[in-house]
C-alpha cells in the first residue's frame, strides 16, 4: 500500500475534512492518507546518518509528502525537511520548499552538512511543545550533560548546558520577539581548542583561537568574554583549513566564519557552526580580518 503524508501547521475541522475527502477518492487505489503536524517532526542527526520521524514513524515509510500548509511559523522546519527529502529522493510537493538558500537556520546548515558526511556534533531537533515528550529519547541518545541551542540567537547567547531533567524545565519558552523558542539539542563534547576560520573564496584567510577566560564557562564566544588570539595563517593545520573551506563551499558561501572545535583526548575536529556574515574584530591593530576581506573583495571586483 502506498502512503501519502499531508503536513499542516495545525489540525482542525477543515484540514481533517480535506484529508478525509482525498482519502475517499483514493480508497480504491490502495493509497493511505496520513494527516500530521509539522510540530510532530523529530530529527536525529549524525554525520552521514539522518533519522526523521513523524509521531515515531520513519518519514522514509511514505511515498509522497505533501506540504499542505506551513505558514510563517513552520516555514523554517518545512524547508529543512524538504532538503532532507530531496537528498533522500523521497517525493514531496511543492519542490520549491527546498530552495531555501541563505534563509535557513543553523539547524538547516547542520542537517545539510551531516547529510554530506561532515563532522558535526550529534544533534536532535524537536518542536518546543514536544520537548517533554521526547526528553527521554534525547537523554538516551545524547547523555548528560548535553547542550541546548536556541535557533534565534547568535554569538553564544541562548546556548544552555543541560545537566539534569530539571534543567529542561528552565529553558526559556519564548524568544526575543515573543514567539515560541526553537531548540536543537547536541551532544556535549569536551573541547580542547576552538578556532574561528574566516574563509574567503576558496581558501582560509584568517584563523584565530578562542580562549575561555570566565571560570565555569563552556562557551568559546568572544561576545561572552572569551579572548581571541589571531594566529599566522601559514601555520593553520591543513586538516582544519580544508574542513573549513569545504564546509563553506558546500553551503555556497564565499565569505564565512567557520567554527571548528578539537575534542580533548581524541584530537577529532568538529564543525560547530558555519556563519554567514560572521562577526568581526574591527580593530585592525589586533585583527587582520578587515584587511583580508578588503583584499578579497578587491580581487573579486577586478576579475
Amino acid at each position: 500500500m502506498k502512503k501519502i503524508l499531508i503536513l499542516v501547521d495545525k489540525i482542525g475541522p477543515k484540514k481533517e475534512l480535506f484529508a478525509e475527502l482525498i482519502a475517499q477518492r483514493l480508497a480504491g487505489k490502495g493509497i493511505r492518507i496520513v494527516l500530521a503536524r509539522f510540530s510532530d517532526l523529530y530529527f536525529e542527526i549524525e554525520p552521514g546518518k539522518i533519522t526523521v520521524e513523524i509521531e515515531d514513524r520513519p518519514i522514509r515509510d511514505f511515498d509522497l509528502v505533501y506540504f499542505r500548509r506551513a505558514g510563517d511559523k513552520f516555514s523554517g522546519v518545512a524547508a529543512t525537511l524538504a532538503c532532507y527529502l530531496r537528498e533522500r529522493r523521497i517525493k514531496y510537493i511543492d519542490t520549491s520548499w527546498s530552495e531555501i538558500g541563505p534563509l535557513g537556520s543553523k539547524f538547516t546548515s547542520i542537517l545539510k552538512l551531516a547529510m554530506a558526511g561532515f563532522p558535526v556534533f550529534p544533534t536532535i531537533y524537536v518542536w518546543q511543545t514536544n520537548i517533554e515528550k521526547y526528553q527521554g529519547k534525547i537523554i538516551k541518545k545524547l547523555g548528560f550533560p548535553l547542550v541546548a541551542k536556541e535557533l534565534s540567537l547568535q554569538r553564544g547567547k541562548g546556548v544552555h548546558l543541560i545537566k539534569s531533567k530539571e534543567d529542561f524545565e528552565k529553558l526559556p519558552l519564548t524568544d526575543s520577539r515573543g514567539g515560541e523558542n526553537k531548540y536543537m539539542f547536541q551532544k556535549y563534547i569536551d573541547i580542547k581548542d576552538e578556532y574561528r576560520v574566516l574563509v574567503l573564496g576558496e581558501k582560509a584567510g584568517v584563523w584565530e583561537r578562542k580562549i575561555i577566560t570566565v571560570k565555569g564557562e563552556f562557551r568559546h564566544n568572544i561576545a561572552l568574554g572569551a579572548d581571541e588570539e589571531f594566529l599566522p595563517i601559514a601555520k593553520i593545520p591543513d586538516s582544519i583549513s580544508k574542513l573549513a573551506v569545504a564546509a563553506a563551499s558546500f553551503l555556497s558561501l564565499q565569505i564565512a566564519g567557520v567554527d571548528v572545535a578539537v575534542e580533548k583526548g581524541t584530537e577529532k575536529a568538529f564543525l560547530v557552526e558555519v556563519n554567514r556574515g560572521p562577526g568581526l574584530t574591527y580593530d585592525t591593530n589586533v585583527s587582520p580580518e578587515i584587511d583580508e576581506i578588503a583584499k578579497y573583495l578587491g580581487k573579486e571586483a577586478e576579475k
Side-chain angles (χ1 to χ4, degrees), residues 100-144:
I100 188 171
L103 301 179
S105 68
K106 63 181 74 175
F107 168 61
T108 312
S109 297
I110 289 291
L111 181 137
K112 287 181 175 180
L113 290 166
M115 286 194 297
F118 283 92
V120 301
F121 298 142
T123 301
I124 290 175
Y125 173 91
V126 296
W127 196 255
Q128 183 219 77
T129 53
N130 277 330
I131 290 176
E132 185 176 355
K133 175 182 176 181
Y134 288 107
Q135 189 180 107
K137 202 169 183 177
I138 293 170
I139 295 169
K140 183 178 180 180
K141 181 67 180 180
L142 303 178
F144 283 132

Side-chain angles (χ1 to χ4, degrees), residues 105-212:
S105 68
K106 63 181 74 175
F107 168 61
T108 312
S109 297
I110 289 291
L111 181 137
K112 287 181 175 180
L113 290 166
M115 286 194 297
F118 283 92
V120 301
F121 298 142
T123 301
I124 290 175
Y125 173 91
V126 296
W127 196 255
Q128 183 219 77
T129 53
N130 277 330
I131 290 176
E132 185 176 355
K133 175 182 176 181
Y134 288 107
Q135 189 180 107
K137 202 169 183 177
I138 293 170
I139 295 169
K140 183 178 180 180
K141 181 67 180 180
L142 303 178
F144 283 132
L146 59 93
V147 177
K149 291 185 177 180
E150 297 179 38
L151 298 183
S152 63
L153 297 177
Q154 301 290 336
R155 300 186 179 183
K157 295 180 180 179
V159 179
H160 310 270
L161 191 63
I162 306 294
K163 298 179 179 179
S164 66
K165 290 183 179 180
E166 289 70 30
D167 286 341
F168 280 95
E169 300 173 7
K170 300 174 185 177
L171 293 174
L173 299 179
T174 56
D175 61 23
S176 58
R177 292 169 290 185
E180 284 186 342
N181 236 338
K182 303 176 185 67
Y183 288 94
M184 65 179 181
F185 299 91
Q186 295 186 314
K187 184 177 180 64
Y188 174 80
I189 301 295
D190 194 4
I191 296 174
K192 174 188 173 185
D193 289 302
E194 184 171 321
Y195 303 98
R196 160 64 63 87
V197 181
L198 178 63
V199 174
L200 300 172
E202 298 178 354
K203 68 176 185 178
V206 179
W207 77 307
E208 62 176 302
R209 180 189 290 116
K210 299 191 285 183
I211 306 167
I212 293 177

Side-chain angles (χ1 to χ4, degrees), residues 1-6 18-36 54-55 57-58 61-66:
M1 175 178 284
K2 298 289 186 179
K3 302 183 187 72
I4 298 175
L5 173 63
I6 299 176
F18 173 80
E20 183 180 341
L21 291 172
I22 296 296
Q24 288 175 0
R25 281 150 181 79
L26 297 176
K29 297 186 177 182
I31 297 177
R32 182 185 175 192
I33 301 296
V34 175
L35 179 67
I54 186 78
E55 296 181 327
R57 180 183 302 177
D61 286 354
F62 293 93
D63 301 281
L64 175 66
V65 179
Y66 173 35

